[in-house]
């Protein structure tokens, strides 16, 4: 029986945010700055990444609409991931989140180059 609650709305959108952020925006490169509690390049606006938050809201709404209001034959999960990925891709372009091409990934704990 289908319920009107939406426990599955957010995870699909967050999957898209994490995938686009890691593979497209940052090209698989994070640095030690990600381990900081506050400040730094991963701090965004007071600790909030509003592009990711907007993506989560739009993705949740997309899932809810396609699962409960206008059910589609392919289900709501795949369209939600696609819409969320597109929304977050646009937000990283607007917020200019990127890594220079050719940047090497370092081991986060101690700054050693990662084994490839």
């Amino acid at each position: 029986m289908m319920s009107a609650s939406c426990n599955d709305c957010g995870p699909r959108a967050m999957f898209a945010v994490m995938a686009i952020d890691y593979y497209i925006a940052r090209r698989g490169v994070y640095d030690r700055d990600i381990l900081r509690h506050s400040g730094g390049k991963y701090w965004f606006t007071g600790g909030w990444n509003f592009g990711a938050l907007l993506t989560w809201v739009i993705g949740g709404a997309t899932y809810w609409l396609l699962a409960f209001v206008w059910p589609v034959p392919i289900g709501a999960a795949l369209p939600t991931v696609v819409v969320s990925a597109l929304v977050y891709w646009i937000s990283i372009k607007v917020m200019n989140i990127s890594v220079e091409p050719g940047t090497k990934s370092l081991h986060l704990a101690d700054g050693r180059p990662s084994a490839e």
Side-chain angles (χ1 to χ4, degrees), residues 19-44:
I20 296 297
D21 192 69
Y22 184 75
Y23 291 108
I24 295 183
R26 305 200 193 272
R27 296 184 175 107
V29 176
Y30 285 119
D31 63 25
R32 296 185 74 204
D33 204 32
I34 200 169
L35 300 174
R36 294 179 61 181
H37 176 39
S38 63
K41 66 176 139 183
Y42 302 104
W43 187 243
F44 298 102

Tab-separated table of all heavy atoms in Angstrom, residues 19-44:
chain	number	residue	atom	x	y	z
A	19	ALA	N	27.399	12.546	-6.433
A	19	ALA	CA	28.019	12.096	-7.676
A	19	ALA	C	28.487	13.270	-8.532
A	19	ALA	O	29.625	13.278	-9.016
A	19	ALA	CB	27.039	11.215	-8.455
A	20	ILE	N	27.644	14.271	-8.716
A	20	ILE	CA	28.024	15.436	-9.527
A	20	ILE	C	29.151	16.209	-8.858
A	20	ILE	O	30.109	16.633	-9.522
A	20	ILE	CB	26.799	16.346	-9.782
A	20	ILE	CG1	25.742	15.633	-10.614
A	20	ILE	CG2	27.218	17.657	-10.437
A	20	ILE	CD1	26.184	15.235	-12.001
A	21	ASP	N	29.090	16.377	-7.539
A	21	ASP	CA	30.135	17.118	-6.839
A	21	ASP	C	31.486	16.411	-6.961
A	21	ASP	O	32.492	17.037	-7.268
A	21	ASP	CB	29.766	17.292	-5.363
A	21	ASP	CG	30.667	18.292	-4.675
A	21	ASP	OD1	30.565	19.491	-5.004
A	21	ASP	OD2	31.470	17.885	-3.825
A	22	TYR	N	31.508	15.115	-6.737
A	22	TYR	CA	32.786	14.386	-6.741
A	22	TYR	C	33.327	14.175	-8.156
A	22	TYR	O	34.486	14.467	-8.428
A	22	TYR	CB	32.631	13.038	-6.038
A	22	TYR	CG	33.937	12.287	-5.924
A	22	TYR	CD1	34.891	12.673	-5.000
A	22	TYR	CD2	34.220	11.217	-6.758
A	22	TYR	CE1	36.098	12.006	-4.902
A	22	TYR	CE2	35.423	10.537	-6.661
A	22	TYR	CZ	36.358	10.934	-5.733
A	22	TYR	OH	37.556	10.273	-5.645
A	23	TYR	N	32.494	13.686	-9.060
A	23	TYR	CA	33.004	13.297	-10.379
A	23	TYR	C	33.074	14.440	-11.386
A	23	TYR	O	33.933	14.424	-12.258
A	23	TYR	CB	32.153	12.162	-10.967
A	23	TYR	CG	32.348	10.875	-10.217
A	23	TYR	CD1	31.358	10.377	-9.389
A	23	TYR	CD2	33.539	10.170	-10.303
A	23	TYR	CE1	31.534	9.195	-8.684
A	23	TYR	CE2	33.732	9.001	-9.600
A	23	TYR	CZ	32.731	8.521	-8.801
A	23	TYR	OH	32.917	7.372	-8.106
A	24	ILE	N	32.199	15.425	-11.291
A	24	ILE	CA	32.194	16.493	-12.289
A	24	ILE	C	32.801	17.782	-11.739
A	24	ILE	O	33.737	18.323	-12.316
A	24	ILE	CB	30.768	16.722	-12.828
A	24	ILE	CG1	30.339	15.462	-13.572
A	24	ILE	CG2	30.714	17.954	-13.708
A	24	ILE	CD1	29.020	15.497	-14.231
A	25	ALA	N	32.279	18.269	-10.607
A	25	ALA	CA	32.772	19.547	-10.090
A	25	ALA	C	34.211	19.440	-9.601
A	25	ALA	O	35.047	20.273	-9.921
A	25	ALA	CB	31.876	20.037	-8.953
A	26	ARG	N	34.503	18.406	-8.822
A	26	ARG	CA	35.833	18.304	-8.205
A	26	ARG	C	36.753	17.311	-8.896
A	26	ARG	O	37.880	17.095	-8.449
A	26	ARG	CB	35.679	17.965	-6.737
A	26	ARG	CG	34.779	18.983	-6.041
A	26	ARG	CD	34.957	19.015	-4.578
A	26	ARG	NE	33.899	19.757	-3.940
A	26	ARG	CZ	33.907	21.063	-3.721
A	26	ARG	NH1	34.930	21.781	-4.101
A	26	ARG	NH2	32.895	21.647	-3.119
A	27	ARG	N	36.268	16.680	-9.967
A	27	ARG	CA	37.061	15.736	-10.768
A	27	ARG	C	37.754	14.674	-9.913
A	27	ARG	O	38.908	14.326	-10.132
A	27	ARG	CB	38.078	16.494	-11.607
A	27	ARG	CG	37.450	17.395	-12.621
A	27	ARG	CD	38.501	18.059	-13.504
A	27	ARG	NE	37.850	18.826	-14.530
A	27	ARG	CZ	37.809	20.136	-14.537
A	27	ARG	NH1	38.377	20.830	-13.591
A	27	ARG	NH2	37.194	20.776	-15.512
A	28	GLY	N	37.073	14.190	-8.886
A	28	GLY	CA	37.618	13.134	-8.039
A	28	GLY	C	38.688	13.605	-7.073
A	28	GLY	O	39.424	12.797	-6.528
A	29	VAL	N	38.773	14.917	-6.851
A	29	VAL	CA	39.824	15.469	-5.998
A	29	VAL	C	39.211	16.229	-4.822
A	29	VAL	O	38.471	17.192	-5.003
A	29	VAL	CB	40.734	16.445	-6.791
A	29	VAL	CG1	41.763	17.093	-5.883
A	29	VAL	CG2	41.391	15.732	-7.944
A	30	TYR	N	39.481	15.751	-3.620
A	30	TYR	CA	39.196	16.503	-2.403
A	30	TYR	C	40.536	16.746	-1.722
A	30	TYR	O	41.481	15.998	-1.948
A	30	TYR	CB	38.283	15.726	-1.445
A	30	TYR	CG	36.842	15.676	-1.874
A	30	TYR	CD1	36.214	14.474	-2.134
A	30	TYR	CD2	36.100	16.839	-2.004
A	30	TYR	CE1	34.888	14.425	-2.516
A	30	TYR	CE2	34.769	16.799	-2.381
A	30	TYR	CZ	34.167	15.590	-2.635
A	30	TYR	OH	32.861	15.550	-3.005
A	31	ASP	N	40.640	17.765	-0.909
A	31	ASP	CA	41.898	17.963	-0.184
A	31	ASP	C	41.615	18.024	1.317
A	31	ASP	O	40.488	17.897	1.758
A	31	ASP	CB	42.655	19.192	-0.692
A	31	ASP	CG	41.917	20.499	-0.487
A	31	ASP	OD1	41.073	20.584	0.418
A	31	ASP	OD2	42.201	21.444	-1.223
A	32	ARG	N	42.661	18.217	2.086
A	32	ARG	CA	42.557	18.163	3.548
A	32	ARG	C	41.601	19.208	4.109
A	32	ARG	O	41.107	19.077	5.215
A	32	ARG	CB	43.936	18.340	4.178
A	32	ARG	CG	44.865	17.199	3.810
A	32	ARG	CD	46.167	17.302	4.504
A	32	ARG	NE	45.929	16.931	5.901
A	32	ARG	CZ	46.689	17.311	6.889
A	32	ARG	NH1	47.723	18.066	6.671
A	32	ARG	NH2	46.430	16.925	8.109
A	33	ASP	N	41.317	20.233	3.345
A	33	ASP	CA	40.416	21.287	3.789
A	33	ASP	C	39.022	20.734	4.117
A	33	ASP	O	38.290	21.309	4.909
A	33	ASP	CB	40.323	22.357	2.699
A	33	ASP	CG	39.911	23.709	3.238
A	33	ASP	OD1	40.263	24.020	4.392
A	33	ASP	OD2	39.250	24.450	2.496
A	34	ILE	N	38.664	19.614	3.527
A	34	ILE	CA	37.352	19.017	3.776
A	34	ILE	C	37.220	18.519	5.220
A	34	ILE	O	36.120	18.360	5.738
A	34	ILE	CB	37.056	17.883	2.774
A	34	ILE	CG1	35.553	17.617	2.715
A	34	ILE	CG2	37.819	16.622	3.109
A	34	ILE	CD1	35.136	16.720	1.583
A	35	LEU	N	38.337	18.294	5.897
A	35	LEU	CA	38.317	17.802	7.272
A	35	LEU	C	38.166	18.914	8.303
A	35	LEU	O	37.999	18.634	9.488
A	35	LEU	CB	39.593	16.999	7.559
A	35	LEU	CG	39.814	15.765	6.673
A	35	LEU	CD1	41.170	15.157	6.956
A	35	LEU	CD2	38.705	14.762	6.865
A	36	ARG	N	38.199	20.161	7.862
A	36	ARG	CA	38.044	21.293	8.791
A	36	ARG	C	36.616	21.384	9.295
A	36	ARG	O	35.663	21.141	8.554
A	36	ARG	CB	38.416	22.595	8.095
A	36	ARG	CG	39.892	22.659	7.734
A	36	ARG	CD	40.238	23.922	7.045
A	36	ARG	NE	39.960	25.060	7.936
A	36	ARG	CZ	40.158	26.304	7.573
A	36	ARG	NH1	40.607	26.586	6.379
A	36	ARG	NH2	39.903	27.283	8.406
A	37	HIS	N	36.469	21.757	10.547
A	37	HIS	CA	35.140	21.884	11.146
A	37	HIS	C	34.406	23.114	10.608
A	37	HIS	O	33.197	23.101	10.405
A	37	HIS	CB	35.259	21.936	12.666
A	37	HIS	CG	33.968	22.150	13.381
A	37	HIS	ND1	32.786	21.567	12.979
A	37	HIS	CD2	33.650	22.893	14.459
A	37	HIS	CE1	31.813	21.940	13.787
A	37	HIS	NE2	32.312	22.748	14.692
A	38	SER	N	35.128	24.197	10.387
A	38	SER	CA	34.508	25.400	9.846
A	38	SER	C	35.537	26.160	9.022
A	38	SER	O	36.730	25.995	9.185
A	38	SER	CB	33.964	26.283	10.971
A	38	SER	OG	35.026	26.713	11.792
A	39	GLY	N	35.022	26.993	8.135
A	39	GLY	CA	35.897	27.769	7.261
A	39	GLY	C	36.415	26.921	6.108
A	39	GLY	O	36.153	25.736	6.006
A	40	GLY	N	37.123	27.545	5.213
A	40	GLY	CA	37.702	26.833	4.087
A	40	GLY	C	36.767	26.753	2.886
A	40	GLY	O	35.647	27.246	2.908
A	41	LYS	N	37.249	26.124	1.847
A	41	LYS	CA	36.492	26.102	0.599
A	41	LYS	C	35.261	25.219	0.627
A	41	LYS	O	34.396	25.332	-0.230
A	41	LYS	CB	37.403	25.713	-0.562
A	41	LYS	CG	37.935	24.319	-0.517
A	41	LYS	CD	38.736	24.053	-1.772
A	41	LYS	CE	39.967	23.278	-1.451
A	41	LYS	NZ	40.780	23.069	-2.618
A	42	TYR	N	35.137	24.328	1.579
A	42	TYR	CA	33.952	23.475	1.675
A	42	TYR	C	32.915	24.043	2.651
A	42	TYR	O	31.908	23.409	2.909
A	42	TYR	CB	34.344	22.056	2.114
A	42	TYR	CG	35.332	21.415	1.165
A	42	TYR	CD1	36.677	21.316	1.504
A	42	TYR	CD2	34.926	20.934	-0.067
A	42	TYR	CE1	37.584	20.739	0.636
A	42	TYR	CE2	35.827	20.361	-0.945
A	42	TYR	CZ	37.154	20.262	-0.592
A	42	TYR	OH	38.050	19.702	-1.450
A	43	TRP	N	33.159	25.224	3.183
A	43	TRP	CA	32.275	25.832	4.158
A	43	TRP	C	31.080	26.516	3.492
A	43	TRP	O	30.028	26.668	4.083
A	43	TRP	CB	33.076	26.822	5.009
A	43	TRP	CG	32.340	27.403	6.155
A	43	TRP	CD1	32.041	28.725	6.335
A	43	TRP	CD2	31.820	26.732	7.295
A	43	TRP	NE1	31.368	28.912	7.511
A	43	TRP	CE2	31.217	27.679	8.126
A	43	TRP	CE3	31.794	25.400	7.694
A	43	TRP	CZ2	30.610	27.369	9.322
A	43	TRP	CZ3	31.188	25.089	8.882
A	43	TRP	CH2	30.605	26.064	9.676
A	44	PHE	N	31.233	26.940	2.254
A	44	PHE	CA	30.191	27.601	1.471
A	44	PHE	C	29.665	28.845	2.194
A	44	PHE	O	30.427	29.698	2.558
A	44	PHE	CB	29.059	26.629	1.114
A	44	PHE	CG	29.535	25.486	0.263
A	44	PHE	CD1	29.750	24.233	0.814
A	44	PHE	CD2	29.799	25.680	-1.079
A	44	PHE	CE1	30.207	23.189	0.029
A	44	PHE	CE2	30.252	24.642	-1.870
A	44	PHE	CZ	30.456	23.395	-1.299
